[in-house]
């Protein structure tokens, strides 16, 4: 019988920490989302992250690492003026978050300006987000993904689907309104269920033809209209690998910017150990296979995309640590390790 999701979620902060700062920050963020004048005030003293045709601006540090630089609004205005552009472009930026100190954070796409000129003045490089994910620390990668997702949504929702007339955004970019139809549009994410499937001793990982060479990951699929997450997971596993899920346990969630904006709902799924014959749907997956604990532990040791020598089969690896698929695989390995210790 299919078990319900385990909906217990462990907060990342400790119980002893006071939540007053968090509450204050969330209320500040809510105000500047909804109040145009407060948002303009926050923007004048806020941080701004630049993109060029949705590629974030990264800077290389003295020790060879990359960072996602937060520029002051006045710095961006000066950069725009030096490039012969109107400094009013800063008002096209989109609110993405705020810091612990209640400093608002905005993203701005300067794709209408020559890329090389912006890079020269800013001392940075615009790098595709997929590549940037491997160069940034997790908090910065998450912020870069959020900023890109909001910018893309605005670029693709400039007209009303009801009237065909232009939509108009508020200052923060938290919504767009069609004055002709009266419809208000809000940024949306597509729900996706992602799962590590286990038979009790092994875990099942698959790869799509679009994955980098050698990368295997948890299985995932978009929710159909009207489906629950449990129904989606059970259907996807049946479609992709021909297995029937018996139980599900919820693990967590993550915003994922590819291919558009997705809400990844992560779960562990269990199948009957007596029925583990894989029947891969090659229209969905290039390959899927069972991995032992020892094999998974080796995959997790690879921290960045391996460089394969020509003519040799690609080294196997899993998504990097910022991806929730990695967390699922790590959780499965930890549980298996614990079980083996208990049985000694």
């Amino acid at each position: 019988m299919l078990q319900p999701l385990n909906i217990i979620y462990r907060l990342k902060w400790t119980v002893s920490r006071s939540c007053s700062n968090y509450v204050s920050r969330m209320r500040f963020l809510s105000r500047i989302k909804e109040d145009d004048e407060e948002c303009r005030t926050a923007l004048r003293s806020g941080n701004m992250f630049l993109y060029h045709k949705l590629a974030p601006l990264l800077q290389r540090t003295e020790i060879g690492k990359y960072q996602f630089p937060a520029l002051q609004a006045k710095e961006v205005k000066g950069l725009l003026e030096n490039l012969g552009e109107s400094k009013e472009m800063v008002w096209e930026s989109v609110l993405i978050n705020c810091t612990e100190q209640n400093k608002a954070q905005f993203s701005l796409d300067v794709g209408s300006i020559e890329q090389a000129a912006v890079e020269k003045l800013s001392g940075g490089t615009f790098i595709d987000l997929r590549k940037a994910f491997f160069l940034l620390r997790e908090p910065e990668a998450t912020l870069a993904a959020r900023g890109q997702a909001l910018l893309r949504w605005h670029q693709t929702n400039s007209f009303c689907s009801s009237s065909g007339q232009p939509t108009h955004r508020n200052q923060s970019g938290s919504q767009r309104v069609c004055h002709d139809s009266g419809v208000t549009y809000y940024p949306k994410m597509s729900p996706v269920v992602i799962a590590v499937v286990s038979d009790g001793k092994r875990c099942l990982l698959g790869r799509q033809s679009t994955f980098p060479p050698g990368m295997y990951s948890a299985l995932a699929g978009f929710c159909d209209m009207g489906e629950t997450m449990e129904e989606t997971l059970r259907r996807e596993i049946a479609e992709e690998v021909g297995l029937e899920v018996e139980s599900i346990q919820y693990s967590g969630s993550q915003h994922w910017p590819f291919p558009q904006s997705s809400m990844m709902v992560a779960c562990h799924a269990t199948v009957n150990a007596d029925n583990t014959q894989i029947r891969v749907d090659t229209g969905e997956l290039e390959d899927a296979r069972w991995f032992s604990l020892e094999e998974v532990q080796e995959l997790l040791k690879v921290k960045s995309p391996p460089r394969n020598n020509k003519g040799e089969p690609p080294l196997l690896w899993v998504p990097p640590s910022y991806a929730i698929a990695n967390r699922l695989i790590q959780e499965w390995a930890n549980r298996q390790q614990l079980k083996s210790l208990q049985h000694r």
Side-chain angles (χ1 to χ4, degrees), residues 51 56 58 68 96 129 132-133 136 139-149:
Y51 295 74
L58 271 57
F68 188 40
I96 50 177
L129 186 61
F133 265 18
L136 295 172
E140 291 183 307
T142 300
L143 192 64
R146 187 170 183 172
Q148 190 216 58

Side-chain angles (χ1 to χ4, degrees), residues 177-227:
V177 177
C178 173
H179 298 312
D180 188 70
S181 66
V183 176
T184 300
Y185 295 91
Y186 299 94
K188 290 180 173 61
M189 294 186 291
S190 301
V192 175
V193 178
I194 182 167
V196 162
V197 178
S198 176
D199 66 356
K201 293 184 178 179
R202 301 172 297 170
C203 79
L204 179 66
L205 303 177
R207 62 169 280 106
Q208 298 176 6
S209 58
T210 54
F211 283 4
M215 193 185 88
Y216 279 75
S217 185
L219 304 185
F222 287 92
C223 293
D224 282 347
M225 184 63 71
E227 276 188 330

Side-chain angles (χ1 to χ4, degrees), residues 55-255:
L57 178 76
L58 271 57
Q59 288 179 346
R60 196 160 190 165
T61 66
E62 293 179 356
I63 59 173
K65 302 290 185 178
Y66 282 87
Q67 63 182 3
F68 188 40
L71 305 177
Q72 297 293 315
K74 62 181 180 181
E75 291 180 281
V76 177
K77 286 181 179 180
L79 185 149
L80 292 171
E81 289 184 317
N82 285 333
L83 292 170
E85 302 289 334
S86 171
K87 64 181 181 181
E88 299 303 307
M89 186 186 288
V90 297
W91 303 111
E92 298 174 15
S93 61
V94 176
L95 176 68
I96 50 177
N97 210 337
C98 68
T99 67
E100 295 268 350
Q101 295 74 37
N102 283 10
K103 183 179 282 288
Q105 298 168 307
F106 297 83
S107 59
L108 176 65
D109 197 300
V110 293
S112 60
I113 307 174
E114 184 186 358
Q115 179 176 333
V118 181
E119 291 177 335
K120 184 178 179 180
L121 275 182
S122 65
T125 306
F126 291 104
I127 296 178
D128 178 79
L129 186 61
R130 286 185 185 272
K131 184 177 180 182
F133 265 18
F134 291 103
L135 302 174
L136 295 172
R137 295 180 301 110
E138 184 176 348
E140 291 183 307
T142 300
L143 192 64
R146 187 170 183 172
Q148 190 216 58
L150 287 165
L151 288 170
R152 183 197 287 117
W153 181 80
H154 281 282
Q155 292 175 10
T156 56
N157 286 270
S158 54
F159 290 90
C160 175
S161 60
S162 177
S163 68
Q165 297 301 307
T167 57
H168 304 273
R169 50 165 286 187
N170 61 351
Q171 184 57 61
S172 69
S174 64
Q175 60 181 252
R176 299 188 71 92
V177 177
C178 173
H179 298 312
D180 188 70
S181 66
V183 176
T184 300
Y185 295 91
Y186 299 94
K188 290 180 173 61
M189 294 186 291
S190 301
V192 175
V193 178
I194 182 167
V196 162
V197 178
S198 176
D199 66 356
K201 293 184 178 179
R202 301 172 297 170
C203 79
L204 179 66
L205 303 177
R207 62 169 280 106
Q208 298 176 6
S209 58
T210 54
F211 283 4
M215 193 185 88
Y216 279 75
S217 185
L219 304 185
F222 287 92
C223 293
D224 282 347
M225 184 63 71
E227 276 188 330
T228 65
M229 290 183 292
E230 297 95 328
E231 289 170 337
T232 298
L233 193 155
R234 195 176 190 187
R235 173 181 55 78
E236 285 290 340
I237 301 303
E239 289 176 353
E240 293 186 355
V241 293
L243 296 175
E244 186 168 346
V245 170
E246 289 192 331
S247 66
I248 300 170
Q249 184 181 37
Y250 173 77
S251 173
S253 62
Q254 178 185 41
H255 167 252

